[in-house]
Structures are given as structure tokens and as C-alpha cells.
Amino acid sequence: MNRRQFVKRAVGGSAALLAAQAVASNSSGLRDFDSYVSSKKSGWAVEAPDVLTPLENVTNYNNFYEFGMDKSDPAQYASAMTLDPWSIRVSSDGGKTVDVQFEDLLRAMDLEERIYRLRCVEAWSMVIPWLGFPLADLIRWLDPQENYRFVHFQTRYTRSEMRGTRSFSSVIDWPYQEALRMDEAMNTLSFIAVGLYGKSLPAQNGAPLRLVVPWKYGFKSIKSIASIHFTNRQPETSWQAIAPHEYGFYANVNPEVDHPRWSQRYERRLPSSLFNPNRIPTQMFNGYGEYVADLYKNLNLRRYY
Amino acid sequence: MLSFVGLALATVQNQLGPDPVKQLALLTGNRGFQFLLLSLLISPLAQLLAAPYLIQWRRPAGLWAFYFLSLHLLVFAQGYIGWSWVILIEELIERPYISVGALAWVLLVPLALTSTRAARLKLGASWAILHRLVYVVAVLGCLHLIWQVRSDWINAGVYTLICVLIAGSRYRNALRF
């Protein structure tokens, strides 16, 4: 065996080991999806200089306050959430209310992989290979009949399963809620993820289905969706209700508009380290301006942050 | 000292998760404030328990507070602003929680410098007055936390309550100049 072969085998061996570890840490009932369009074919592959954030970081560093305030709490406690069966209550102003089973919805959708940057308002970011379908496809399938102006989402709220919601010192008015303008929701970027890294979503990442709107701060990408409501009135969103001067309805990634707590000019691309914090400049609309800038051409983004 | 070695090791081995900057800022800040409160607690405790030997721990507690809060500042400079003066000034102007935190550290500097026995003897009565600055630092520290509350007030609330209790117990002492 020459040196090159040796190196090849060593690399292959450690890759196999890593893969084995990944499977082991995922043994808690995550499902494989038989067929989906890969990110290369869907047109949403990783863009240099981005590098995928390792699975371990994506699944162990989460904001999901229903399960606690620490970044490690969701990975530890979200497994308490009952995922099966999962139904989504779909309603509209003046329309009727139906409960849609997640499994039925999943069967109706064509899955594709998309690699998106995720920029948290706390000034850290990741690059994640999601698996799911365009939100526009879901909305067309749900068929809201009229042309509503907004779509309003709520996260599942089960006190007995979500220890964070039982905290007496939390000021969040559960359930967590988020909303998009209908033209934002129908934008090609808006995505419903049901998986990441080729498998179904771990509970802490918002299983079984979550929103992903990569040009907005992460808190807009609501997790574990339990209800969808179509409406003509702009809905109140959770963070906006807590601190309206800090969090707006739009929450578009914008390095020019600082959040009172965090400068938004830079972000720490995770994983970072103390000696190499991996600070990179934040891009307008998180780098997705070509797809979404038109949505806001008549909007003062400093006022409507 | 052990906790510092532990932190240093964890940092080097990358055991603080994908965002060690944030973890280190939290850890050093919390530890520093805890030592600061401990240093403030020692006098009333010594009085309450009639245990004057406790006083010998006051100076080390204060110095450990200064030490951890200095680390806190270094982590901020390295991880959050990348040693940029421009960003530092912007942060100080725009984010009051950062400016009160910075002011608290600045006020601790003369206290750390005059913590030696020689300085204490040299300054005489004014040493005690100077070192009452630590109460100002504690108040600024509480503000630093309160201003950062987002959706859960428990952390800031507990620290502030402890500060209020200590200040209350020292109230009469403070009036004696």
C-alpha cells in the first residue's frame, strides 16, 4: 500500500466512523425519505464560500424557548413532544376550519433539498441542508379560496410536554406565533422543512414541519407548526408583542438596521472558536436580495424593520 | 483558579459548543458578578455570624471578580468586536447595557490597584470611601443584566434581589463617613 492509498483509506475510515456516529445519534426514530430532489438538482446547492454547518451543531445549538432558554435545552428536552399523530388546524377569516393530518400533507408534496443560510438575530449563523417543499405548494394545496393578505402560523403548545412554557419568569404569551405577508409566503424562497441532512427533522429543530424564510432573522422561521390561518389583518407576532421597538413584523436581515442589543453588521458563522471567531459581514437580505428585494421596493426598511 | 484552568482547557479543546464566544462571555460574566456579590456578602456575614476571620476572604473575592470581569472584557474584544475601536465606540454609544458594563469595569480598576496592604495604609480613611465604589459597580452590574432581559427575567431578577438585600443590610454603614 503506497502513501496515497493509505491516506485514502484513512480518510475513508474516519468518514465511515463519522457516518456511524451520525446514525447512532439519530437513532431516536428519525425517518429516511425514500426519494427527494437533491440540492444539486433543485438548484439550491451550497454556494462558496459557505460551508455546511455540521449536523451535530445544527441539532445541538437551538433556540426553541418552549423547551428552555439555553441553546442546549431543546436537544435535551424536545423529545418530550408527541410528534405522531400530528395535525395542523387550517382556517381563514370567514372560512371553515379543517384539521389536516401531517402524513396526508406529506404524501401530497414533492420533496426537495435546499441549502440555505440561517441568520439568527443574535448575530450567529449556520448553513443548513433542509428537506421539504415550497410554502407556495402547500398554500396552493390547502387552497384558501380567497386572496388573503397574510398567513399566520402558530407553534404547537402543550404545557405538559414543554417545560419552557411552564417557566413562571417567562414573558412569552404562548403559543409562539409568526406571520408572513402573502406575497412573501408565495415567494420562491419560502420553504416548509420536514427534514435536514436527508432525514426527518429532529424535535429540537421544529419537527415535524417548520417554516424556513432564509432572508429573515431566524425567529421568523417558526417551528413545529400546529396551525395555519389565512387572514386580511396583519397578525401580531410573538417577539413583536414582547418588544415592538426591537422586533418588527418584517425582520428582514439587514446589516444597516441595528437591533438595540446586537449590531447586525457582522455575524459569527458557526462553528466558531475563540481564537478564530469566524466573524463575517452580514449581507442584505442574508444574500438573497435577487429573489426578495422586489417585495420591499416601496417599503422604508428602516421604519418597517 | 481551578475554574479558570477548566475554562482554558475547555476552550482549547473546543468543548464549549459551536459558539464558544457566547459561552465564554456568559461564563466569565456570571462568575465575575458572583464573586463581586460574594465580596459584598462577606462583611455582613462576618457581622451576622460574629466571625471576623471571614473578612480575610473579602480581598481575594474582589480580585477574582476583577479577574473574571477582565476576561469577560477580553472575550468581548476578541469575539464580538474583533478589537475594532470603531465598533467599540459604536457599541458604547448605541447599546447602554454595554456602556454601563464597561463603566463598571473601569470603576473596578482603581479598586483592584489599591487592593494591596501598602495602598490601604497609605490611603488611610479615604481607602474605605474609595472602596464603596464597589456598590456603584454592583448597581451598574444589575443594570447591565436588566437591560439584556429578553423574554425571561429570572437571572437578572435573582442577581438584582441579592444586590438589594446586601445594600439594604449595609444601608446604615454607608451613611457613616
Side-chain angles (χ1 to χ4, degrees):
Chain A
M1 186 161 74
N2 64 27
R3 185 178 154 274
R4 189 161 291 179
Q5 279 174 325
F6 174 77
V7 169
K8 213 170 171 181
R9 281 191 197 178
V11 170
S14 54
L17 194 68
L18 280 176
Q21 279 170 344
V23 170
S25 69
N26 272 343
S27 60
S28 53
L30 294 187
R31 76 163 99 170
D32 290 299
F33 292 103
D34 314 331
S35 65
Y36 57 84
V37 179
S38 74
S39 62
K40 284 198 184 83
K41 290 196 179 132
S42 73
W44 297 96
V46 66
E47 290 173 355
D50 289 344
V51 177
L52 286 186
T53 305
L55 174 68
E56 188 203 340
N57 296 155
V58 175
T59 56
N60 286 291
Y61 193 83
N62 307 97
N63 277 328
F64 199 164
Y65 285 0
E66 280 81 345
F67 299 103
M69 302 282 296
D70 283 345
K71 297 282 183 286
S72 56
D73 283 341
Q76 203 172 343
Y77 301 113
S79 57
M81 178 165 55
T82 307
L83 296 176
D84 190 22
W86 188 278
S87 70
I88 302 133
R89 180 147 293 189
V90 180
S91 58
S92 58
D93 287 353
K96 57 176 188 249
T97 300
V98 289
D99 286 328
V100 174
Q101 295 306 311
F102 172 66
E103 290 301 324
D104 297 338
L105 181 159
L106 193 59
R107 263 192 297 275
M109 296 291 132
D110 294 323
L111 294 186
E112 63 179 282
E113 184 177 54
R114 290 191 182 190
I115 296 171
Y116 279 160
R117 293 177 286 274
L118 175 86
R119 170 62 158 79
C120 179
V121 70
E122 296 165 355
W124 53 265
S125 63
M126 294 183 178
V127 181
I128 303 173
W130 301 106
L131 205 59
F133 41 84
L135 174 59
D137 287 1
L138 174 65
I139 291 176
R140 271 184 227 110
W141 185 74
L142 293 174
D143 191 16
Q145 305 290 332
E146 282 173 57
N147 290 324
Y148 290 101
R149 290 183 55 221
F150 298 93
V151 54
H152 178 199
F153 303 91
Q154 287 187 336
T155 296
R156 166 86 142 245
Y157 171 41
T158 319
R159 254 177 91 83
S160 61
E161 295 179 348
M162 299 175 149
R163 66 200 308 271
T165 65
R166 302 196 293 266
S167 158
F168 71 96
S169 56
S170 165
V171 297
I172 298 174
D173 187 14
W174 311 105
Y176 188 78
Q177 46 189 346
E178 262 307 336
L180 295 173
R181 231 167 51 187
M182 192 55 84
D183 57 345
E184 297 177 317
M186 299 306 284
N187 186 273
T188 175
L189 282 179
S190 297
F191 199 64
I192 294 289
V194 295
L196 56 84
Y197 270 104
K199 288 179 186 291
S200 60
L201 283 176
Q204 63 267 31
N205 292 89
L209 80 166
R210 64 168 296 169
L211 182 66
V212 184
V213 274
W215 74 97
K216 293 173 178 285
Y217 293 118
F219 65 86
K220 291 293 289 186
S221 292
I222 188 169
K223 297 188 173 88
S224 302
I225 296 168
S227 83
I228 300 176
H229 181 75
F230 298 98
T231 177
N232 282 319
R233 270 213 316 241
Q234 181 174 312
E236 190 172 65
T237 63
S238 283
W239 281 108
Q240 200 186 12
I242 294 168
H245 54 289
E246 295 184 31
Y247 308 92
F249 175 82
Y250 287 95
N252 292 320
V253 175
N254 187 343
E256 297 305 316
V257 178
D258 274 351
H259 184 278
R261 291 159 199 276
W262 308 281
S263 165
Q264 299 296 15
R265 225 160 273 162
Y266 293 89
E267 63 201 57
R268 296 189 301 287
R269 177 60 57 81
L270 306 188
S272 83
S273 75
L274 181 64
F275 303 107
N276 175 21
N278 212 6
R279 280 171 80 250
I280 56 175
T282 289
Q283 305 176 73
M284 186 68 203
F285 297 121
N286 204 19
Y288 295 104
E290 59 178 301
Y291 303 99
V292 294
D294 274 356
L295 292 170
Y296 311 108
K297 55 178 183 256
N298 297 319
L299 199 70
N300 177 350
L301 293 176
R302 196 162 280 281
R303 177 147 180 236
Y304 295 97
Y305 47 90
Chain B
M1 194 64 207
L2 271 180
S3 62
F4 172 69
V5 173
L7 263 186
L9 274 178
T11 308
V12 170
Q13 296 171 340
N14 251 334
Q15 283 178 348
L16 293 170
D19 199 3
V21 167
K22 181 173 178 155
Q23 285 303 321
L24 281 172
L26 272 175
L27 283 168
T28 52
N30 276 328
R31 199 65 80 235
F33 203 35
Q34 286 156 8
F35 271 114
L36 189 84
L37 293 183
L38 182 68
S39 75
L40 288 176
L41 258 174
I42 284 172
S43 299
L45 267 187
Q47 235 166 36
L48 195 72
L49 304 174
Y53 55 86
L54 285 178
I55 297 290
Q56 63 178 315
W57 295 104
R58 200 171 57 180
R59 186 173 73 163
L63 283 173
W64 277 112
F66 179 67
Y67 172 70
F68 275 108
L69 294 172
S70 301
L71 283 179
H72 186 61
L73 210 69
L74 286 175
V75 169
F76 176 73
Q78 159 74 7
Y80 282 87
I81 60 173
W83 302 98
S84 154
W85 286 105
V86 180
I87 300 181
L88 174 66
I89 289 164
E90 191 186 291
E91 295 282 318
L92 288 176
I93 294 169
E94 286 184 14
R95 277 167 265 284
Y97 79 90
I98 291 177
S99 34
V100 295
L103 178 62
W105 182 83
V106 168
L107 293 180
L108 275 178
V109 174
L111 304 192
L113 290 177
T114 58
S115 66
T116 60
R117 186 181 293 270
R120 181 169 195 165
L121 290 174
K122 200 169 167 199
L123 288 172
S126 48
W127 187 92
I129 296 170
L130 175 69
H131 278 248
R132 280 187 189 140
L133 264 182
V134 73
Y135 291 99
V136 178
V137 172
V139 170
L140 293 174
C142 289
L143 278 177
H144 181 63
L145 292 179
I146 292 167
W147 245 314
Q148 291 181 74
V149 170
R150 293 174 67 199
S151 69
D152 198 303
W153 48 264
I154 192 73
N155 201 33
V158 167
Y159 280 115
T160 306
L161 182 67
I162 295 172
C163 276
V164 168
L165 289 177
I166 294 172
S169 77
R170 306 294 290 165
Y171 169 65
R172 249 176 254 157
N173 224 8
L175 295 181
R176 237 181 16 221
F177 271 85

